[in-house]
Every structure is written in structure tokens, then in C-alpha cells.
Amino acid sequence: MEDDIRERLAAQQYREAFELLVERFKDKVFRLAFSMLRDPAAAEDMAQDIFLKVWKALPGYHGAASVSTWLYTIARNTCLTELKRRAARLTVSLQAPELEGAVDAIPAMQTSDPESGAGMDTHAMLDRLPDKYRRVVTLFYLEQKSYEEVSAMLGLPLGTVKTFLFRAKKELLRIASRRPMTAALA
Amino acid sequence: MACPEFEMSVAAWLEGQLPAGEREAVERHLIGCVECRAFAEAFRHLDAELVRAVKAPKLSADFAARLRQRIDAEPPAVVAARRAELKRRLQAEYEAGLARMQRRFHSFGAVLDVLASGCLLAGAATAAVVNAPRLLQFLPANLRGLPDPTLVVSAVVGAVFLLAGGIAAWRTRGRVGSWV
Ligand SMILES: [Zn+2]
């Protein structure tokens, strides 16, 4: 699935290689960014920045890793940098007492209809998971329950993905069992 | 609560991820264990709920077009490639030059070695020639007082040269070894 991209890169046809890369991976990169940033608008901006970085880095790609591995690594690192920047900003703003509401500025999952009560509850529960678990769960369901895709996109071993997913679900059940509104899940 | 030794297998069983032998073992256990059956049911519920709730947002239709615009404003990748190539070449030249310099240092150290040995030998010889008669004559007296200044100076100068030459030779040899 990457051979045509590799051929064009080897021939230094960067523009053509890039067009193929964007066409094939734009949704994946967007979903990866979304699983990490939890906000569609921010994820789309991030996907733009990621591909811009990829464009600048294309001539430096020498085929050590597969194209997708290389691309996902750039994508993850770009997102992690953004998350660190946000965390630093939040720390600063929390030091000002009049800005206590700043915590609400962290975008939460906005995937489903806000009118549907049960959906909101699932998202609220997901928000309470540790980052590493929430990313795996989110991406797993965004990627049609493919362990392999989650493993490739998050750069985690397959076994780790399975373990995280299992622990995340157990944790979600534990959270649900404490909430009378979601008794149906327990 | 499910049986700890079965809960992971039950989850894998729900995903259809178990080989035939293990699958039968889990299914046999589920028939007899109410707790694990409840756990499996809760897990299946949660899975259905997550399938329903976690939906991918849509990327804007003009995503690729906007990206193309930004790319066109950037220096093309080819220019970056030439720049990277130039940088690689400069780096290679720099490293080759550095290695040449290290080798020169190495020969310099060898010259110092020879120089130092020569100085020491010359100093020792001079001292011996100049002081031999007196040394032989006044040996017991000289042992009580200070030795002759000429002897001290020539010995110190010779030792310093030998030390410096040795250090220089040792250091450059170590570095040249790691470069070549
Ligand atoms: Zn059981």
C-alpha cells in the first residue's frame, strides 16, 4: 500500500508522493490527532500542521521505517508538543485566581449529539480515564475495532494495545457502576 | 466480579479472538459461572455503547485544498533536499578535515616524544660529564646537602619534555583511533 509512495520518493518526485500521502492518510492522521486532542477543530488544525511538517521533512525520509510509521511518529510528536504547550498555559492561567474556570476550556469529546443523554454519559466516563487508556479506546472504536491500526498509529506493541483496552473497559465499568444514571451498563 | 483467571479470556472471547481450544474452555466456564456471565454481558453492553458513542468527526471538504495552498507558499521540498545534500557534503568535508588534523597532531606528538627523549638524554649526559668528577669526589657530602643545580635543571627540563611529549602522543593516538 506504500510502494507507489516509496517509488516516487526514490525518484525525488516529492509533490506526487505528498499528494498520495495526503489522500491516503489525511483521515487517519486527523483521527489520531482527534484521539489525542479530543477536539475536532483543533485536530483538523493539527492535521494541517502535521502534513506541513511532513512536506518539509519528505526529502529527509530515507526509508528506514515504513512511510506510515514515519508519518504517525511525526503526527504523535506534533500532538504531544501541542498538549505540553496547553498544559503549560493552563498551569500559568490557574495561578491567577480569577481564571479558575480555565479548566473548562479543555475541550472534551464532542463526537456525538449533545442531546443524547447516554452518549454524553459515555463521553463523561471516557474523560475520566487516564490519557493512555482513553486514546487507545477512542482510536480502537474510530478505527473499526482494529488492534493493528491502533498499534501502528499510537506506536504501541499489539499486546500493549490489548492490555490497555481491557483495563480501560474494566475502568469504564467501574466508573459506570458508581453512577446510578448508567445502571444499564453495570 | 468475574473470576480473575477468566476475565481477560472472556473479553477476548467476546471479540472472537480466542483459538478453538480456549474458546471451548471459556464457554464451558460461562455455563457454570454466573459472575463471569454477568461480566461478559456488561462488557458486551459497554462495547455496544462505545460503538454508538465514539464516532469520528468529519474532516472539512477543503482540507486538501487548504493544505495545497500552504505547501505552495513553502519552499519546495526539492530546495530543502538540495540544502540537505549540501549540508551533508559540508559535514563530510568537515569530518575529513578534522581527521586530517588529528593525524597531524599524532605526528606532532611523535616528534615531541623524540625531542623529549633527546633532551633528557642530552641533559643527563651533560650533567654526567660536568658533574662526574665532583660527584665521585664529594658523594657523601652531596647526599647531606642539595644536589648540583645543573643536574637538577637538566633532569627537570628533560622530564617535562618527556611528560609533555608522552601526553600529546597519548591523547592524539586515542582520538585518531576513534576517528579512523
Ligand atoms: Zn467465572
Side-chain angles (χ1 to χ4, degrees):
Chain A
M1 134 148 190
E2 294 177 357
D3 285 352
D4 49 352
I5 297 176
R6 281 167 167 275
E7 275 166 28
R8 278 163 182 80
L9 283 177
Q12 300 201 337
Q13 296 170 335
Y14 297 116
R15 188 70 196 223
E16 292 82 349
F18 186 72
E19 290 287 339
L20 286 173
L21 211 57
V22 172
E23 205 35 57
R24 214 161 293 167
F25 289 101
K26 65 178 195 300
D27 291 306
K28 294 247 178 220
V29 166
F30 173 55
R31 290 197 291 265
L32 175 58
F34 176 67
S35 78
M36 294 182 76
L37 302 178
R38 306 155 69 198
D39 168 43
E44 182 157 337
D45 287 347
M46 190 71 2
Q48 287 268 333
D49 291 350
I50 289 164
F51 276 111
L52 206 63
K53 254 190 202 176
V54 166
W55 168 247
K56 289 180 192 164
L58 264 191
Y61 172 78
H62 293 299
S66 78
V67 176
S68 57
T69 304
W70 178 74
L71 175 67
Y72 290 146
T73 306
I74 294 179
R76 278 195 311 273
N77 290 341
T78 311
C79 290
L80 287 174
T81 306
E82 167 65 14
L83 286 172
K84 266 184 215 151
R85 205 179 56 77
R86 280 189 194 179
R89 209 174 43 196
L90 191 68
T91 310
V92 170
S93 61
L94 279 181
Q95 280 161 2
E98 72 273 20
L99 290 175
E100 263 168 14
V103 185
D104 300 331
I106 310 172
M109 297 278 287
Q110 297 170 13
T111 37
S112 78
D113 183 6
E115 298 297 307
S116 84
M120 280 294 281
D121 236 316
T122 306
H123 293 145
M125 286 180 0
L126 282 168
D127 280 343
R128 293 179 60 182
L129 286 180
D131 284 346
K132 58 178 185 178
Y133 291 166
R134 195 192 46 250
R135 280 173 204 161
V136 168
V137 176
T138 308
L139 214 49
F140 181 70
Y141 285 95
L142 289 182
E143 295 302 318
Q144 277 76 50
K145 300 217 256 179
S146 164
Y147 294 101
E148 287 77 11
E149 281 300 325
V150 176
S151 158
M153 291 167 83
L154 289 178
L156 294 171
L158 208 56
T160 307
V161 170
K162 289 182 181 174
T163 309
F164 279 13
L165 198 61
F166 176 73
R167 289 190 193 150
K169 284 183 178 176
K170 266 190 78 172
E171 183 62 19
L172 285 172
L173 286 180
R174 201 183 60 77
I175 295 169
S177 70
R178 289 180 172 182
R179 296 187 149 201
M181 271 176 70
T182 52
L185 286 178
Chain B
M1 281 297 285
C3 307
E5 69 272 30
F6 271 100
E7 56 180 18
M8 234 177 141
S9 308
V10 168
W13 172 76
L14 284 170
E15 295 290 335
Q17 293 242 323
L18 284 184
E22 274 185 65
R23 194 175 61 220
E24 281 155 24
V26 168
E27 282 165 2
R28 258 200 314 278
H29 177 79
L30 281 171
I31 292 171
C33 181
V34 181
E35 302 271 285
C36 282
R37 269 210 307 276
F39 177 75
E41 189 53 34
F43 237 64
R44 208 181 33 224
H45 238 93
L46 177 64
D47 178 66
E49 177 53 27
L50 286 168
V51 168
R52 202 193 61 75
V54 183
K55 289 274 193 288
K58 273 259 169 279
L59 204 53
S60 306
D62 65 345
F63 179 84
R66 267 193 298 137
L67 188 58
R68 235 170 259 132
Q69 262 175 7
R70 289 179 74 182
I71 298 302
D72 289 337
E74 285 292 322
V78 184
V79 172
R82 289 214 188 97
R83 217 164 35 214
E85 177 57 34
L86 190 68
K87 202 177 144 198
R88 250 200 311 280
R89 221 164 45 217
L90 281 174
Q91 180 74 18
E93 273 169 26
Y94 168 73
E95 277 167 14
L98 205 62
R100 264 202 305 280
M101 220 159 79
Q102 300 286 1
R103 275 197 295 278
R104 229 171 278 153
F105 256 124
H106 182 42
S107 0
F108 181 61
V111 170
L112 275 183
D113 270 347
V114 173
L115 214 63
S117 314
C119 280
L120 187 69
L121 278 176
T126 310
V129 169
V130 170
N131 295 299
R134 279 197 293 157
L135 269 178
L136 286 174
Q137 208 178 338
F138 301 108
L139 197 56
N142 272 0
L143 277 179
R144 283 195 304 273
L146 286 169
D148 186 274
T150 319
L151 187 68
V152 174
V153 169
S154 45
V156 166
V157 168
V160 164
F161 269 85
L162 185 66
L163 200 66
I167 287 172
W170 173 73
R171 288 187 53 172
T172 49
R173 216 166 285 146
R175 242 178 293 161
V176 167
S178 71
W179 276 95
V180 176

